[in-house]
Amino acid sequence: MKSSNLNYRHLYYFWIVAKEGSVTRAAERLDVAVQTISAQLALLEQSIGKALLAPQGRRLVLTEAGRVALAYADQIFLLGEQMQEVLSESDIGRTMRLTVGLSDSLPKLIASRVLESALHLRERVKLVCHEGDFESLLGDLSVHKLDVVLTDRPIPSGTTLRAFSHLLGESEIGLFAVPKLAETYRPNFPASLHGAPLLLPTRNHVIRGRLDHWFEIKEVRPDVVGEFDDNALLNTFGRSGMGLFPAPSALAKDVKEQFGAVPVGDMEVREQFYVISNERKIKHPAVEAILSEVHAKVFSR
């Protein structure tokens, strides 16, 4: 089917029907006659050459072709909504919009430091951040819901996604704790970690395997009292004194200010941080600023 044959009003009616599961409810939502929607759906299916919806009891369900069409319709109308939102802003033309996906495994202190560079441009930047798991963010990047993704891992080799990993930098990881715990476990580090209460990222995080390997090499067995998917939640429990927790050594000052935690000891573990984009060469001015300034502002500390 050629794109010139696609009637987007017909597609929009299909999209609403698929969401509502009923022509009647779609007609009520759109304030049009049921017959109008039925006629538009028939014309859409005729132009495509495949049935998109099939009756199942009192509901309409998607056929396989319908599921494919819905996935594309979601992208089309989501982008349309975003366009309307951006164009409706009163300061358009004076503001650059940067939509960033933040991996939930990424230390939020790193994210805030990285994004500071984008906010110091001469042109005003409106920053929009979305947090999620790595795979979901890559999916959003692929349909241009996001300009870039900040994460702790590169794109896996062999992926079909046309996106590119740009290394931001790396930092040594240290163990931190509230002062009382730090005083207890700092002497004789790392042997002192045997049986120590520890907060760690879950095993689906890249850094977790490196931390576990380091404990094995040092022949210590800490007591893992908590595992967290979200790095911010891990830090919150660390601030409460529940246990020692890992964080980038480069941000020791920030960790103390935000979480009241001090270094217990450095680990021979390094964590990498990446910007992932749809382009091999970054073209967004705010992202270019991030890549050019981030080493001096974050990883050189």
Side-chain angles (χ1 to χ4, degrees):
M1 181 192 71
K2 297 180 180 180
S3 59
S4 60
N5 293 333
L6 180 62
N7 185 304
Y8 286 94
R9 178 174 292 277
H10 297 169
L11 183 64
Y12 182 71
Y13 283 177
F14 158 74
W15 188 56
I16 297 298
V17 171
K19 297 292 185 183
E20 296 292 335
S22 161
V23 171
T24 301
R25 285 200 293 272
E28 293 172 354
R29 176 173 167 179
L30 296 170
D31 194 25
V32 298
V34 169
Q35 294 82 357
T36 299
I37 292 185
S38 297
Q40 302 279 21
L41 287 177
L43 289 172
L44 178 63
E45 290 180 331
Q46 182 180 350
S47 69
I48 292 175
K50 290 182 172 65
L52 302 178
L53 295 159
Q56 187 178 87
R58 295 185 177 182
R59 290 180 56 84
L60 287 173
V61 297
L62 293 166
T63 63
E64 185 60 35
R67 281 189 284 272
V68 173
L70 180 60
Y72 281 100
D74 281 338
Q75 297 176 30
I76 290 168
F77 295 118
L78 174 63
L79 287 173
E81 290 171 0
Q82 290 178 343
M83 181 189 72
Q84 286 183 309
E85 179 185 343
V86 171
L87 292 177
S88 66
E89 293 176 355
S90 59
D91 56 358
I92 187 156
R94 302 192 303 272
T95 300
M96 183 189 310
R97 185 185 180 95
L98 177 61
T99 307
V100 183
L102 301 176
S103 173
D104 48 21
S105 61
L106 183 76
K108 300 307 176 285
L109 288 174
I110 288 288
S112 64
R113 288 297 184 187
V114 166
L115 294 175
E116 276 180 10
S117 300
L119 299 179
H120 293 157
L121 292 175
R122 181 176 302 175
E123 185 175 358
R124 181 172 177 265
V125 175
K126 179 177 180 179
L127 189 62
V128 181
C129 294
H130 300 280
E131 186 177 3
D133 64 83
F134 182 69
E135 289 76 16
S136 297
L137 293 177
L138 289 187
D140 289 342
L141 179 70
S142 70
V143 296
H144 301 281
K145 287 176 63 176
L146 302 171
D147 293 314
V148 290
V149 171
L150 298 186
T151 183
D152 61 348
R153 71 192 76 176
I155 297 175
S157 60
T159 182
T160 58
L161 178 65
R162 185 172 175 78
F164 303 92
S165 303
H166 310 269
L167 180 65
L168 279 172
E170 61 178 18
S171 173
E172 188 172 72
I173 299 299
L175 281 179
F176 293 78
V178 295
K180 184 177 180 180
L181 275 179
E183 290 173 8
T184 301
Y185 294 103
R186 189 179 294 124
N188 199 30
F189 182 90
S192 60
L193 296 178
H194 192 75
L198 200 65
L199 307 173
L200 291 177
T202 54
R203 296 185 185 279
N204 61 326
H205 288 197
V206 173
I207 193 65
R208 175 60 184 273
R210 299 173 190 168
L211 295 173
D212 287 343
H213 182 62
W214 185 81
F215 292 130
E216 289 178 9
I217 291 174
K218 298 301 179 182
E219 298 182 340
V220 294
R221 289 190 177 183
D223 179 16
V224 180
V225 296
E227 298 181 72
F228 303 87
D229 271 329
D230 180 38
N231 184 266
L233 187 59
L234 184 154
N235 290 336
T236 298
F237 277 93
R239 180 171 54 192
S240 73
M242 182 177 173
L244 290 71
F245 62 98
S249 298
L251 299 181
K253 181 180 178 181
D254 303 84
V255 172
K256 183 176 182 179
E257 290 177 354
Q258 292 200 24
F259 306 113
V262 295
V264 177
D266 286 329
M267 309 172 75
E268 296 150 13
V269 175
R270 302 188 71 83
E271 185 172 19
Q272 288 79 38
F273 305 100
Y274 295 85
V275 166
I276 298 178
S277 73
N278 281 319
E279 301 288 343
R280 184 181 296 277
K281 180 175 175 56
I282 294 290
K283 297 179 180 178
H284 197 297
V287 182
E288 288 182 334
I290 289 173
L291 292 175
S292 63
E293 298 181 32
V294 72
H295 291 280
K297 292 190 174 183
V298 179
F299 300 106
S300 61
R301 298 186 178 193

